[in-house]
Amino acid sequence: MALLKLVAPVKDYLWGGDRLVKEFGKKAIGSVTAESWELSCFPGSESIIENGEYSGKKITDYISDKGNMVLGTNCQKFEDFPVLIKLIDAKKDLSIQVHPSDDYARIHENQYGKTEMWYIIDAEEDAFLYYGFKRDVTKEEFARRIEDETLTEVLNAYPVKKGDIIFIESGTLHAIGAGILLAEIQQNSNVTYRVYDYGRRDKDGNLRELHVDKALDVTNLSAVKKVSRPEPHIGECKYFTVDKINLTGNITDTIKGTVGEESFLHILILEGQGTIKNDGEEMTYSKGDSFFLPSGSGDYSLSGSLEALLTYEK
């Protein structure tokens, strides 16, 4: 069996909403659902296979049994599975934060660092996010503004709308703002250094931990430069490549492709419904579904109407 449908673990972080449950069919574990981890090999939060002989098992069990070559030749340069894909519903502002580079994270956290990209699925009117500094700052000014809570005065407030794409390199200070629903494709890491969290408390009434000293070590203090879109892809770096596809169900109602030996393919359905076929198998899909096709699984097709993100290693 090559075509694997995945079930995403979900996270109930305090800033989340309910759209992932109501619109994308995710299973709630609390009063809020902030994230669903659509393709995850991260320890303790692995995606679960829904169909076939591995039904109910972690995707890491499948990879362990079948061997790393199901990830493709382009993945063999990575020590661990390289990518983590999420849906994120920010009903409230996320903390202002930064992620370290691989070199720093390996030394201090025993994980990868985090470079990531966001595809904006939906955004309320006037929604925005923070993306780097709007001018150069010194380390001393950065530390002072964290201390006196004036940091947002020097951050680049970036308005967003449906369809926008933002690429966040490690070391870039950032925060997703309230009213934004997005897909995040990132390195397989959960290292986040918070520098400001609006004085919020967790479910036990404790202030959430900040990581100011480490953030001072890793943050790029230069004015942000937006990374250009890597045509024909919507996102590309050494950790992942992302394409977006659309089917109208009218003029074009089928897209075909091939999964070669170079890489696996992950398909995340953002809108629509229809049929997916691969390696002699056929399944229906709908909004919120997530599929993993191992390397070498050959020709596939998607029929119906959809908006989807395809992620692979190039």
Side-chain angles (χ1 to χ4, degrees):
M1 172 167 286
L3 180 58
L4 302 179
K5 186 176 181 181
L6 303 180
V7 177
V10 298
K11 307 295 180 179
D12 62 349
Y13 305 138
L14 56 80
W15 43 262
D18 59 9
R19 296 186 68 179
L20 298 183
V21 174
K22 291 183 176 180
E23 299 178 29
F24 289 81
K26 306 305 172 182
K27 186 176 180 180
I29 58 171
S31 58
V32 298
T33 303
E35 298 181 353
S36 60
W37 290 23
E38 298 297 327
L39 175 59
S40 172
C41 290
F42 192 84
S45 297
E46 299 91 341
S47 303
I48 304 299
I49 297 170
E50 184 178 281
N51 63 306
E53 62 177 314
Y54 284 86
S55 178
K57 294 186 177 182
K58 301 173 183 176
I59 190 170
T60 47
D61 294 332
Y62 169 82
I63 295 169
S64 178
D65 286 354
K66 297 294 186 180
N68 277 341
M69 286 309 297
V70 298
L71 305 181
T73 56
N74 292 344
C75 280
Q76 303 312 303
K77 62 181 176 286
F78 298 110
E79 183 178 346
D80 301 312
F81 189 73
V83 69
L84 174 60
I85 299 175
K86 304 176 181 177
L87 292 172
I88 297 178
D89 175 18
K91 185 175 182 180
K92 300 177 182 177
D93 295 323
L94 274 69
S95 61
I96 297 172
Q97 57 190 246
V98 66
H99 308 302
S101 67
D102 285 347
D103 290 343
Y104 190 95
R106 282 302 195 193
I107 293 170
H108 296 272
E109 312 294 347
N110 195 31
Q111 291 188 44
Y112 282 131
K114 192 190 292 189
T115 288
E116 60 192 354
M117 64 159 286
W118 297 331
Y119 174 77
I120 307 300
I121 300 171
D122 196 16
E124 294 179 1
E125 189 176 357
D126 299 325
F128 70 94
L129 51 83
Y130 288 119
Y131 173 57
F133 293 98
K134 58 187 177 184
R135 61 168 173 80
D136 293 354
V137 300
T138 64
K139 190 172 184 178
E140 292 72 25
E141 181 183 4
F142 183 29
R144 174 180 61 79
R145 286 186 177 277
I146 294 172
E147 178 66 26
D148 64 20
E149 300 185 353
T150 62
L151 182 58
T152 58
E153 294 178 8
V154 291
L155 295 184
N156 179 42
Y158 189 83
V160 292
K161 63 184 183 306
K162 175 179 171 59
D164 283 348
I165 300 158
I166 300 93
F167 196 88
I168 310 289
E169 295 182 313
S170 62
T172 304
L173 205 64
H174 62 277
I176 302 171
I180 297 174
L181 179 70
L182 60 81
E184 177 177 279
I185 297 88
Q186 59 160 90
Q187 285 181 264
N188 183 16
S189 170
N190 200 32
V191 179
T192 296
Y193 298 150
R194 296 191 199 101
V195 300
Y196 182 60
D197 194 42
Y198 309 95
R200 292 184 293 201
R201 297 179 181 271
D202 63 21
K203 58 186 176 183
D204 297 318
N206 301 312
L207 289 171
R208 296 210 298 169
E209 183 181 6
L210 301 180
H211 316 90
V212 174
D213 289 342
K214 289 180 176 179
L216 290 171
D217 285 343
V218 306
T219 301
N220 181 351
L221 302 178
S222 300
V224 69
K225 295 180 180 178
K226 187 177 180 183
V227 177
S228 60
R229 177 174 168 177
E231 299 283 1
H233 313 294
I234 66 167
E236 184 178 20
C237 63
K238 65 180 180 179
Y239 308 107
F240 51 78
T241 298
V242 184
D243 297 333
K244 178 174 171 288
I245 59 172
N246 290 85
L247 283 173
T248 63
N250 296 319
I251 298 174
T252 302
D253 62 0
T254 300
I255 288 179
K256 297 180 180 181
T258 302
V259 183
E261 300 291 343
E262 299 81 11
S263 176
F264 69 89
L265 176 67
H266 180 261
I267 302 174
L268 178 58
I269 308 296
L270 303 180
E271 291 284 354
Q273 57 185 3
T275 301
I276 180 171
K277 297 179 182 179
N278 174 240
D279 195 29
E281 301 171 63
E282 180 176 334
M283 299 179 69
T284 59
Y285 66 78
S286 59
K287 182 176 180 176
D289 283 346
S290 173
F291 297 95
F292 180 88
L293 284 65
S295 69
S297 57
D299 295 340
Y300 70 91
S301 66
L302 292 155
S303 300
S305 62
L306 65 74
E307 178 182 338
L309 299 181
L310 310 184
T311 301
Y312 52 97
E313 297 299 331
K314 193 173 179 182

